[in-house]
Amino acid sequence: LPSFKGKKTPSRPFVWTVAGGPEYRKQSGMLLAKWESLGLFPVMVIALEQETADNICAAGFNAVVWDDEKHSYSRVADSKFTVAAELAERNIKGFFLELDVFCRKNPLPFFESFPDDDLIHPGHGDVNFFPNIGMYMVSTRMGPYFRGLNKIMAFSKTERNYINQVNHTRDFFDQDAYTHCLPAIEDHDDDIAPSEFSYYLMNDTKQENNILKLCKNEVKFTFKTVHHTFINCLFPPSVYDNTICIHPLAGAPFTPLAYKHATAKFLGFDPLPIGKDERMVKMAAGDLTTNECWGHTFYHGEEKIDGITGERVALYVSTLITIARETNRTVVLPRFVRDKESWAYPLHGVLDVRRIDVPWRWLTKEESYRLEDETDMMVSPRDPDKLLKEVKQHDTSRILAIDGMCKLTSPSNERREELNKGLCFCFDRRGLKFTKSIGSWDNMCNCGPLPQ
């Protein structure tokens, strides 16, 4: 950043993100390649460890190591606010987005369409007037504002009650600090009552600490919260042709990237494009049903999938994954587990998708239609081992759709253990529901830490 000082202000915003930890280190190259394919390039990655920076640079992208001391509970928050301030103080316009923002189009032109505002950000899922700091455009006037945020966040480094809490807490949360230091909401959104906005702000205890005086708004600025369609709490949001990006939190902040990735893939934002020579295997029915064949309607309750149905679901999924593993194919997973015609559970509510050891994806309806001419159909025999042998006879087919998998007979206990090896299912609790306040599902299947 010092090298920019005193030079001509670049016409294009400085685009940057933050990456750290094993998950982001492993997936960053794929995610950055997707952004590059959309025209969002170059991007500077603020890496929280040297190893992360090395991986990103080895993949052909730009990274610098954030080696500053920890000023708050979160080095991510420190870097998000500090870099924004550093850019503004060097007369450089900045555009920040988190690495778990999944895009179909380059978001930069959209944000540049609001030239009269100093700070532009999207809203949250069910409160679209409430700023979402996963993505924002920063003008050159915003240095003092972000410096003030850093001072507010510094309290969390010494607040022992906060540091010792394992679960997410709102105390000194970077989202709250960002929102509190914005100018009065009534100046910007006449349709939103100030009291409604303040419901989401810091409580009186924190105000008693007088930390709001640390907001540095002596430079008057304007901000814009980009409103969008409210998300219904019962169903995933609809994705339209003009949808630019989604920011799935997959249950709550700080959840694994794999779950955010699964949500993005489910909605059609898979960062990995379908390869020209990629071969796939899938169920012909699309969704996984237990009533495709008469006699397999085992669902008996609203609360959870019962044991018999769970055993069948595990057999279908494990057989598909075994076929993909032994034939070098990508497995196209069913989106939903459906029973009768009333209930549908997203598959990642009953299967821990982190434990799948083969390439996998979901296909959108448009992708399925586009690939229909390259799809071969076969009817499943009853024996899972015989099914695998017959699949191998279709070695030249691009996409193999298997019909009638509901006819598979249950294998021996030994064979079942072999099929399920490495996989983990969650059939003993409530199914997923879409949570509007976070724009994603909660209760995703999580079988604990991955084996080393």
Side-chain angles (χ1 to χ4, degrees):
L1 289 176
S3 63
F4 286 100
K5 197 169 185 178
K7 295 188 177 182
K8 184 179 179 181
T9 303
S11 58
R12 179 184 179 277
F14 183 96
V15 183
W16 56 285
T17 187
V18 178
E23 271 200 304
Y24 286 87
R25 185 181 309 141
K26 180 180 179 181
Q27 302 292 341
S28 56
M30 173 189 66
L31 299 173
L32 291 167
K34 177 64 176 180
W35 289 357
E36 183 178 19
S37 71
L38 300 174
L40 187 62
F41 182 83
V43 176
M44 178 60 76
V45 181
I46 311 300
L48 302 184
E49 312 92 11
Q50 183 66 53
E51 187 178 356
T52 298
D54 292 342
N55 284 15
I56 291 170
C57 291
F61 300 99
N62 310 305
V64 293
V65 179
W66 179 260
D67 59 359
D68 202 359
E69 66 173 305
K70 187 175 180 179
H71 296 295
S72 73
Y73 77 95
S74 168
R75 296 182 73 231
V76 174
D78 292 345
S79 59
K80 284 165 63 172
F81 293 159
T82 301
V83 173
E86 295 277 357
L87 290 171
E89 291 164 359
R90 285 165 174 77
N91 205 32
I92 301 168
K93 194 172 185 178
F95 179 64
F96 168 78
L97 69 167
E98 293 180 346
L99 203 53
D100 58 3
V101 172
F102 299 87
C103 298
R104 281 187 164 185
K105 302 177 183 179
N106 184 352
L108 195 53
F110 178 75
F111 277 79
E112 289 182 308
S113 67
F114 303 100
D116 298 329
D117 292 289
D118 297 302
L119 183 62
I120 306 115
H121 43 245
H124 274 82
D126 65 334
V127 278
N128 59 20
F129 56 87
F130 185 62
N132 182 336
I133 62 171
M135 187 188 310
Y136 49 76
M137 179 86 83
V138 181
S139 81
T140 58
R141 296 160 46 84
M142 298 303 297
Y145 169 79
F146 282 98
R147 292 295 185 195
L149 299 186
N150 271 335
K151 290 186 177 181
I152 290 178
M153 296 299 296
F155 280 90
S156 68
K157 188 177 181 182
T158 57
E159 179 58 54
R160 302 308 308 177
N161 290 334
Y162 183 94
I163 296 171
N164 293 333
Q165 287 187 26
V166 176
N167 295 324
H168 165 67
T169 174
R170 295 188 66 84
D171 291 348
F172 303 110
F173 188 33
D174 52 0
Q175 174 72 70
D176 283 344
Y178 182 100
T179 306
H180 260 293
C181 287
L182 292 175
I185 190 68
E186 58 265 29
D187 294 342
H188 298 268
D189 294 277
D190 295 334
D191 56 330
I192 302 297
S195 59
E196 186 175 359
F197 185 77
S198 63
Y199 173 79
Y200 296 93
L201 303 185
M202 295 182 181
N203 59 38
D204 292 337
T205 302
K206 282 174 281 188
Q207 290 180 356
E208 289 172 1
N209 292 329
N210 262 335
I211 61 175
L212 289 186
K213 66 183 180 182
L214 297 173
C215 295
K216 296 296 182 181
N217 292 345
E218 64 266 19
V219 177
K220 187 174 177 61
F221 67 89
T222 61
F223 74 91
K224 184 173 187 64
T225 304
V226 180
H227 293 196
H228 51 77
T229 304
F230 279 72
I231 294 176
N232 187 296
C233 64
L234 298 179
F235 303 100
S238 298
V239 175
Y240 302 98
D241 289 341
N242 63 348
T243 303
I244 300 174
C245 302
I246 59 171
H247 187 205
L249 295 181
F254 315 132
T255 51
L257 176 63
Y259 291 155
K260 300 176 183 180
H261 190 188
T263 300
K265 291 171 74 168
F266 189 94
L267 295 174
F269 288 81
D270 195 332
L272 281 178
I274 297 175
K276 183 179 180 181
D277 300 320
E278 183 176 352
R279 300 186 313 143
M280 300 174 237
V281 61
K282 67 174 186 174
M283 295 180 66
D287 291 341
L288 197 160
T289 64
T290 56
N291 64 332
E292 182 183 351
C293 304
W294 294 108
H296 287 310
T297 308
F298 294 122
Y299 187 73
H300 296 299
E302 175 183 352
E303 296 298 318
K304 62 185 180 182
I305 294 177
D306 68 85
I308 301 176
T309 301
E311 185 177 311
R312 301 296 302 176
V313 169
L315 175 60
Y316 303 155
V317 172
S318 62
T319 301
L320 273 178
I321 292 175
T322 300
I323 290 172
R325 185 186 300 121
E326 298 193 18
T327 60
N328 196 29
R329 290 178 180 268
T330 297
V331 61
V332 178
L333 292 177
R335 287 175 179 271
F336 291 98
V337 177
R338 295 185 181 274
D339 201 276
K340 299 183 178 177
E341 295 181 356
S342 302
W343 305 103
Y345 295 103
L347 183 65
H348 46 294
V350 296
L351 170 66
D352 190 336
V353 294
R354 302 173 303 158
R355 296 170 183 262
I356 301 175
D357 63 354
V358 297
W360 65 274
R361 64 169 69 251
W362 279 299
L363 291 180
T364 64
K365 288 183 178 179
E366 292 76 13
E367 290 168 337
S368 295
Y369 292 148
R370 178 164 51 85
L371 296 168
E372 192 169 350
D373 292 341
E374 301 178 72
T375 302
D376 291 339
M377 184 81 71
M378 67 166 287
V379 178
S380 173
R382 291 183 177 274
D383 180 58
D385 292 329
K386 188 175 180 181
L387 170 60
L388 177 59
K389 292 179 182 179
E390 293 190 14
V391 167
K392 291 180 178 179
Q393 297 174 7
H394 293 262
D395 192 52
T396 58
S397 62
R398 171 86 189 277
I399 302 171
L400 184 60
I402 305 173
D403 193 21
M405 286 188 67
C406 61
K407 299 176 182 178
L408 289 175
T409 55
S410 297
S412 64
N413 290 337
E414 182 179 349
R415 181 58 175 146
R416 184 184 297 112
E417 289 181 8
E418 184 179 345
L419 288 171
N420 290 339
K421 186 176 181 180
L423 299 178
C424 184
F425 296 88
C426 304
F427 297 120
D428 58 348
R429 57 172 175 73
R430 295 177 64 91
L432 276 76
K433 62 180 180 180
F434 198 83
T435 304
K436 61 181 180 179
S437 60
I438 58 174
S440 190
W441 287 277
D442 60 9
N443 267 353
M444 299 185 78
C445 179
N446 184 339
C447 296
L450 295 176
Q452 294 299 319

